[in-house]
Amino acid sequence: QVQLVESGGGLVQAGGSLRLSCAASGSIFSINTMRWYRQAPGKQRELVATITSGGNTNYADSVKIRFTISRDNAKNTVYLQMNSLKAEDTALYYCNADIRTSSKFSANGYWGQGTQVNVSS
């Protein structure tokens, strides 16, 4: 059994910063790509940032330069540093990871429960 637990959300003024964390635990053999998504009220879930096991990153155009994704493989944790936050960044932020629970099995996708980010203008 695998769990992803996000933390670090909260209320911040526009222009401020937050750092989200997502820790994976349980029966983990290896973790491949890790991602952050977000979903604002009335909108579809949006892919925000991606980081591969080798550290290659990719970002949505709306967050490039402002957000940085990183990971600590020893801690099975992915981070999202969010700077220069805007009101339109307000959303529920989810982490997602492709995790192998055994060398015998291919990776499955797992989701966290989400952490709320509210940016006041």
Side-chain angles (χ1 to χ4, degrees):
Q1 192 173 358
V2 173
Q3 283 189 319
L4 297 179
V5 179
E6 300 102 332
S7 60
L11 175 63
V12 64
Q13 288 189 332
S17 298
L18 282 174
R19 188 192 194 208
L20 306 183
S21 300
C22 172
S25 62
S27 181
I28 297 172
F29 174 74
S30 65
I31 303 178
N32 298 339
T33 300
M34 305 183 83
R35 308 170 186 87
W36 285 98
Y37 284 81
R38 66 185 181 186
Q39 188 166 20
K43 294 189 176 181
Q44 288 188 335
R45 190 171 294 190
E46 172 191 20
L47 177 60
V48 175
T50 300
I51 185 166
T52 67
S53 57
N56 293 318
T57 60
N58 200 12
Y59 299 91
D61 288 343
S62 58
V63 306
K64 275 181 182 175
I65 299 175
R66 299 188 299 121
F67 290 11
T68 302
I69 189 171
S70 61
R71 62 192 286 172
D72 184 334
N73 292 328
K75 296 182 179 179
N76 291 334
T77 299
V78 62
Y79 305 97
L80 187 66
Q81 178 66 45
M82 305 185 296
N83 298 328
S84 303
L85 282 161
K86 305 175 181 179
E88 51 263 43
D89 295 318
T90 294
L92 188 60
Y93 283 73
Y94 298 90
C95 74
N96 165 265
D98 298 335
I99 297 175
R100 297 178 70 186
T101 56
S102 166
S103 60
K104 299 178 181 179
F105 305 127
S106 58
N108 287 321
Y110 293 86
W111 290 88
Q113 82 289 348
T115 184
Q116 181 68 39
V117 171
N118 292 313
V119 184
S120 62
S121 57

